[in-house]
Amino acid sequence: MAVSKSRVSVHSTLTAVSSRPVGSGNKTHKFTSLDHAMGLHSLHIVFYYRDNVLKDFDLDPARVSLSDALSLYPQVTGRIARNGDGNWEVKNNDAGVRVVKAQVGASFDEWLRSADGMEEKDLMVWEEMPKDPTNWSPFRIQINEFEGGGVAVGLSCTHMHADPTSATLLFKSWIDTHRGRAIAHPLVNSGSDLCTRPDTNPKKNSVTYYHAKSIARAAPLVKMATATFKFSNAILKQCLSGISESCQNATPFDYLGALFWTRVAQLKVLKNNSTYSLSICTDFRKLLKKTPLPLGYYGNALHFSMLSLQVRELSSGSDLGHVVRELHHHVASVDDDEVRSAIDWLESRRKREGEEENSYGPPFRMYGPELTCVKVDHLGSSCGPNGSVVGPLMYDTAFDEGAEPVHVSYHIGNVEGEGLIMVMPSSEGGLGRVVTVTLPENELAALCEDQALLGLQPIMLLNGGRGRC
């Protein structure tokens, strides 16, 4: 089969370094047990700007502001190495961040209409971590210029370094620095807050689930595809009103998570007397009541839990409101003790026969093998001057006044298993949401023609021409 030529052509590479050298008292950044567990995955974000906000990065003030922002985060510009315990850490040596410049052989609107999620990866320069990462940059930025105007800025990093919140705030710190604004949510190192508690609780559901994930066999390799659905504030307001009797406090995530879960279930070959599970990934920064983490906590603050329902509850004739209610109650049930118990278990893997006494256990597939739904809509608002709300945080990333991104994509690398659903805020704000779905190729094609989804009149982006645009 012929391989289609990429429409993205890389033409130069440079390194952005800190404008100020790292301080003598800040030489290493240690990864937590949760960071280590995420080691198989990578994280990628693309910010789409209709205007040419970075016309000539070599001479642009944005390059200077990037260096100024990086000077605040030596853990981003450093290099990964093993410490005396055999664990990964960052040597804060000012080595810098790789910046790639590329040209896209398509117009801005043509790309959003005709590209698919796999081709979108060409906008995000990346290479897997080598065995010897001494000279390897764990953060990459790619600046892509479209024909006729428009720019896409791709940010990639190891998931061991950052989760979607950390990576988004890093990019926003660059924007705030460029705009001469105070950084709204400075990245904070608080890894010691995620260590083992004196009194652990091994009986929580998360402990059993994490253990099962850590020993699960690798899923068969299947060709995957990705599509993006954008749902309006008005439509979701109407949808939530329609199931209010079943779940009065349902959120857009509850509704969309339940909707896509049921629609994907229809595409699987499932027995009526069996169960079908959904792995739910939530950010726990606000869940830790005793010692809460700031929004700017740098690293991973993600919790995975599993909800299982009978296949008949997810069938075409079932009550969607029931599934919404079950999902809502499950998400609400994840509390401080549940999160801490999962971290306790990860910490308990440190001592393993035949390895360094204090080394963490090996990473495992966190996204999968079950269908995984990621809740990113906690980034739904950003604080402006005097505490005013200015809209979704990832869209408060305009290099110039009035030039906000029109779309932001999030992708997780090395996902295996049933598939991935990511629910994120929309540029519209309010209840509006964007859902990015990665499934086996044949299943995604069917999902893009699903009448239950199309009836909600989504705008379909980066779908490779599938469905309605």
Side-chain angles (χ1 to χ4, degrees), residues 178-214:
H178 182 75
R179 299 280 298 274
R181 305 185 303 201
I183 295 178
H185 303 284
L187 300 187
V188 178
N189 291 320
S190 308
S192 59
D193 293 338
L194 298 181
C195 294
T196 306
R197 298 174 295 177
D199 299 314
T200 63
N201 186 352
K203 297 182 180 180
K204 303 297 286 187
N205 292 333
S206 297
V207 173
T208 303
Y209 183 46
Y210 276 47
H211 175 70
K213 290 171 77 69
S214 71

Side-chain angles (χ1 to χ4, degrees), residues 381-410:
S381 63
S382 177
C383 291
N386 303 317
S388 59
V389 177
V390 296
L393 190 147
M394 67 273 284
Y395 292 97
D396 185 23
T397 49
F399 284 92
D400 299 306
E401 186 69 32
E404 292 78 11
V406 299
H407 177 63
V408 180
S409 289
Y410 287 77

Side-chain angles (χ1 to χ4, degrees), residues 306-369:
M306 186 171 69
L307 173 62
S308 299
L309 292 180
Q310 294 289 322
V311 169
R312 62 176 177 272
E313 298 176 88
L314 302 170
S315 64
S316 297
S318 64
D319 176 18
L320 180 62
H322 165 72
V323 183
V324 173
R325 183 174 65 250
E326 292 296 319
L327 180 56
H328 176 82
H329 288 165
H330 177 86
V331 173
S333 71
V334 177
D335 57 13
D336 188 299
D337 194 31
E338 193 73 55
V339 171
R340 291 287 185 181
S341 294
I343 295 172
D344 292 343
W345 180 82
L346 291 171
E347 288 281 340
S348 73
R349 302 170 76 224
R350 290 186 74 139
K351 295 183 179 181
R352 299 175 61 85
E353 185 178 353
E355 299 180 7
E356 294 89 344
E357 183 176 348
N358 290 316
S359 64
Y360 291 117
F364 52 92
R365 201 71 56 182
M366 298 294 282
Y367 295 90

Side-chain angles (χ1 to χ4, degrees), residues 112 228-229 448 454 458-463 466-469:
L112 290 177
T228 297
F229 303 77
C448 288
L454 296 182
I459 296 174
M460 300 178 73
L461 305 171
L462 300 161
N463 288 15
R466 302 182 189 92
R468 186 184 68 86
C469 184

Side-chain angles (χ1 to χ4, degrees), residues 65-279:
S65 60
L66 175 59
S67 293
D68 289 342
L70 290 175
S71 68
L72 302 175
Y73 309 119
Q75 65 271 46
V76 171
T77 58
R79 295 295 180 260
I80 301 175
R82 295 281 190 185
N83 62 19
D85 292 330
N87 296 319
W88 292 113
E89 66 179 14
V90 178
K91 301 291 186 181
N92 298 336
N93 55 13
D94 293 320
V97 171
R98 297 283 187 270
V99 179
V100 169
K101 297 170 63 181
Q103 192 72 36
V104 183
S107 69
F108 187 86
D109 289 323
E110 179 187 355
W111 177 268
L112 290 177
R113 180 176 61 252
S114 63
D116 60 21
M118 298 304 292
E119 190 178 16
E120 190 180 30
K121 291 182 178 180
D122 291 340
L123 304 180
M124 306 170 283
V125 60
W126 187 244
E127 61 182 39
E128 296 300 326
M129 186 173 76
K131 291 183 179 179
D132 180 7
T134 305
N135 298 313
W136 179 76
S137 175
F139 278 81
R140 309 289 176 100
I141 295 173
Q142 182 167 326
I143 300 171
N144 307 275
E145 296 183 354
F146 293 92
E147 292 181 350
V151 173
V153 183
L155 172 66
S156 298
C157 64
T158 67
H159 214 315
M160 187 161 57
H161 267 81
D163 62 11
T165 300
S166 290
T168 302
L169 291 176
L170 171 64
F171 189 84
K172 189 176 184 305
S173 293
W174 176 17
I175 299 298
D176 289 340
T177 302
H178 182 75
R179 299 280 298 274
R181 305 185 303 201
I183 295 178
H185 303 284
L187 300 187
V188 178
N189 291 320
S190 308
S192 59
D193 293 338
L194 298 181
C195 294
T196 306
R197 298 174 295 177
D199 299 314
T200 63
N201 186 352
K203 297 182 180 180
K204 303 297 286 187
N205 292 333
S206 297
V207 173
T208 303
Y209 183 46
Y210 276 47
H211 175 70
K213 290 171 77 69
S214 71
I215 61 175
R217 294 183 179 180
L221 291 178
V222 178
K223 187 176 182 180
M224 307 292 275
T226 300
T228 297
F229 303 77
K230 185 176 181 180
F231 298 93
S232 71
N233 176 79
I235 284 291
L236 284 175
K237 184 177 181 180
Q238 178 180 334
C239 292
L240 292 174
S241 175
I243 52 96
S244 60
E245 290 187 4
S246 298
C247 187
Q248 184 175 4
N249 298 318
T251 66
F253 173 80
D254 299 330
Y255 184 88
L256 291 170
L259 176 64
F260 277 87
W261 186 17
T262 59
R263 303 323 298 166
V264 171
Q266 308 310 307
L267 306 175
K268 307 287 184 180
V269 180
L270 303 171
K271 297 180 180 179
N272 288 331
N273 61 348
S274 64
T275 61
Y276 188 52
S277 300
L278 182 70
S279 177

